[in-house]
Amino acid sequence: GKKKIVVLGGDGFCGWPTSLHLSAQGHDVVIVDNLSRRNIDTEMGCDSLTPIESPAVRIRAWKEVSGNDIKFLNMDVAKEYDLLVQLFKDEKPDAVVHFAEQRAAPYSMKGSKQKRYTVDNNVGGTNNLLAAVVDSDLDIHLVHLGTMGVYGYGTSGGEIPEGYLNVVLPDGNEKEILHPAYPGSVYHTTKCLDALLFQFYNKNDGIRVTDLHQGIVWGTNTPQTALDERLINRFDYDGDYGTVLNRFLMQSAMGVPLTVYGTGGQTRAFIHISDTCRCIEAAINNPPESGQRVEIFNQIAQTARVRDIANLIKDKTGCEVNFLNNPRNEDAENELDVSNAKFMDFLGEMIRLEDDRGLFAEVQGITEKYKHRCIPEMILPASFWNKKTAAACEANTLEVMDAKGKEGEKKLGGVFM
């Protein structure tokens, strides 16, 4: 049935198309956003490749094409606690979708300012949200966008389960525990801390929480954002916010060699932006019961190795591949086996990278149309995990470099999330 849904961070890359999707399904949507991602564009001197309109223009356009109203509030969830509590009391939402976090691992490693902002904004905002649900005296279902990065890569001893791990304790008893945290950046650390806050507030105050550990998102438009030019989703191609597949497709349109880090042996989880919206809707429609533990889903369609993705695009477009020194501090090669049975039960098949649905062509069409807006020097990594990786990356260039290290070698490696 129809629900009242507050979408925190509803102006962003995942939040905007999700808000439109939920509105199109007949839900009553309220977007809350402090426009921090737009301010970071100004800070970095790099806009979305696609020209995104202001929230007011976007919402007016949505009303014109759909007949549906969406309310927008400019509010800082991490700082304006009293306004957040009052919002919940006024709107009485059935569910709150929490996207209101700084989402880029590279940006969170750029310097002390960005590290401190990421922790203050992400952890402070999540705690404010949970405390506000308690203070509202309402039974609000919280749906949070997490990340597969909370698990680490290749650390589970097999298939990564959906949130909880079966272990044998020293006394021989078996127990199911929250999967150990293994973050790879300050950003990922905040998502691990979020998970602990959810466990506490769920146990202490009975808050119903669904935590979605999402893979790397690719694609740009959804059926809703494609309805009008003014509804277009943002497309990040820069070294801090550009997700790996979208960056590759943009680079191929620009005639720039694909920027693969290390050997390209990093295996990661992927999901198309349209399936992100469907997963959020499925989580809202299937809330945990009162008194149930935190529900955790792995929100992915598939896993893939970065160099295989680069070769897929190379075969389609004829572009070259550039193996750069790595800005991250992690293994260059890893395997990744992930359980996603819960969402597959709800959604059935999800979009895959190799699907012949014209999705690559759709993204390539967007990159071709707007490539005049690209600033090529913003493609190279500009955030480094430590002084050692920063020194190694001084040699990086947009010209083709050789693969760094042999396949299977343990060395510094990286991929944008």
Side-chain angles (χ1 to χ4, degrees):
K2 180 179 179 180
K3 294 187 178 185
K4 170 72 73 72
I5 303 169
V6 172
V7 181
L8 307 179
D11 185 55
F13 173 55
C14 292
W16 174 243
T18 299
S19 297
L20 296 190
H21 177 82
L22 294 172
S23 177
Q25 299 306 309
H27 298 297
D28 188 0
V29 175
V30 178
I31 290 176
V32 174
D33 204 297
N34 69 344
L35 308 183
S36 64
R37 180 64 191 87
R38 294 175 184 248
N39 294 333
I40 290 171
D41 277 344
T42 303
E43 173 195 338
M44 297 195 306
C46 182
D47 285 330
S48 163
L49 187 72
T50 50
I52 54 173
E53 297 288 354
S54 70
V57 172
R58 281 177 147 186
I59 287 169
R60 193 162 60 243
W62 178 243
K63 171 74 171 177
E64 289 176 18
V65 300
S66 72
N68 297 337
D69 288 304
I70 291 178
K71 189 183 294 185
F72 174 81
L73 293 170
N74 188 329
M75 183 193 304
D76 191 326
V77 173
K79 294 179 180 176
E80 298 178 302
Y81 179 75
D82 292 344
L83 293 177
L84 184 63
V85 175
Q86 194 58 50
L87 170 70
F88 291 164
K89 289 181 176 179
D90 292 343
E91 297 290 347
K92 297 179 174 55
D94 299 291
V96 174
V97 184
H98 182 22
F99 293 112
E101 296 185 282
Q102 193 292 106
R103 66 172 175 84
Y107 183 82
S108 79
M109 301 300 293
K110 187 177 280 293
S112 57
K113 175 184 176 182
Q114 291 82 4
K115 290 174 181 177
R116 294 173 65 241
Y117 168 72
T118 301
V119 171
D120 290 349
N121 180 78
N122 293 9
V123 182
T126 296
N127 188 55
N128 277 359
L129 170 56
L130 290 160
V133 171
V134 174
D135 279 351
S136 74
D137 290 320
L138 297 167
D139 180 23
I140 299 172
H141 173 213
L142 171 58
V143 178
H144 173 253
L145 194 75
T147 171
M148 284 297 301
V150 300
Y151 297 117
Y153 295 101
T155 61
S156 299
E159 183 183 63
I160 294 178
E162 301 202 76
Y164 298 96
L165 187 67
N166 291 314
V167 298
V168 179
L169 299 175
D171 63 6
N173 288 318
E174 295 184 1
K175 188 173 182 179
E176 197 172 35
I177 65 169
L178 186 67
H179 191 287
Y182 201 76
S185 71
V186 169
Y187 156 76
H188 290 104
T189 303
T190 65
K191 296 290 189 174
C192 294
L193 295 171
D194 286 344
L196 293 177
L197 285 170
F198 298 144
Q199 293 291 325
F200 173 74
Y201 278 92
N202 171 262
K203 178 184 70 174
N204 192 66
D205 300 286
I207 295 182
R208 294 181 299 134
V209 180
T210 302
D211 201 5
L212 308 172
H213 293 326
Q214 180 167 260
I216 300 172
V217 184
W218 67 282
T220 305
N221 278 325
T222 63
Q224 290 76 39
T225 66
L227 289 173
D228 189 292
E229 183 83 3
R230 294 166 295 172
L231 299 175
I232 196 167
N233 198 20
R234 69 177 302 122
F235 186 108
D236 298 308
Y237 65 90
D238 61 277
D240 281 346
Y241 278 89
T243 59
V244 61
L245 184 53
N246 279 3
R247 281 191 307 106
F248 283 178
L249 290 168
M250 189 281 301
Q251 289 165 13
S252 68
M254 292 287 296
V256 174
L258 308 185
T259 51
V260 174
Y261 297 166
T263 64
Q266 311 88 345
T267 305
R268 294 294 183 264
F270 290 88
I271 186 169
H272 189 270
I273 186 67
S274 294
D275 282 332
T276 291
C277 301
R278 294 173 64 222
C279 287
I280 297 287
E281 183 193 8
I284 292 169
N285 289 338
N286 297 276
E289 300 289 335
S290 181
Q292 189 179 329
R293 72 180 182 182
V294 174
E295 179 69 273
I296 301 175
F297 294 88
N298 291 337
Q299 189 165 306
I300 76 158
Q302 69 188 114
T303 60
R305 202 176 290 275
V306 171
R307 63 169 167 263
D308 293 340
I309 293 172
N311 287 330
L312 183 68
I313 296 172
K314 179 182 178 181
D315 290 344
K316 284 179 176 287
T317 67
C319 62
E320 293 186 277
V321 177
N322 190 8
F323 292 89
L324 299 181
N325 292 308
N326 307 288
R328 292 191 178 213
N329 183 16
E330 62 188 356
D331 290 342
E333 303 269 334
N334 73 280
E335 302 301 323
L336 189 64
D337 188 15
V338 181
S339 172
N340 65 344
K342 293 179 185 177
F343 268 135
M344 297 308 284
D345 287 344
F346 292 137
L347 301 182
E349 283 303 306
M350 287 194 267
I351 297 166
R352 298 176 65 85
L353 299 174
E354 62 273 16
D355 281 355
D356 188 22
R357 301 194 201 180
L359 292 168
F360 267 25
E362 185 260 342
V363 179
Q364 283 175 301
I366 284 174
T367 55
E368 193 68 37
K369 181 175 182 179
Y370 297 111
K371 66 182 182 182
H372 64 279
R373 290 171 52 88
C374 174
I375 305 170
E377 53 267 31
M378 300 301 294
I379 293 170
L380 289 172
S383 297
F384 310 100
W385 263 234
N386 54 41
K387 292 174 182 176
K388 186 176 180 181
T389 58
C393 288
E394 287 180 1
N396 284 344
T397 171
L398 291 178
E399 303 301 317
V400 175
M401 301 165 66
D402 293 327
K404 303 300 169 191
K406 298 173 183 175
E407 293 185 12
E409 180 184 347
K410 296 280 188 180
K411 63 186 291 295
L412 297 177
V415 58
F416 291 140
M417 298 291 285

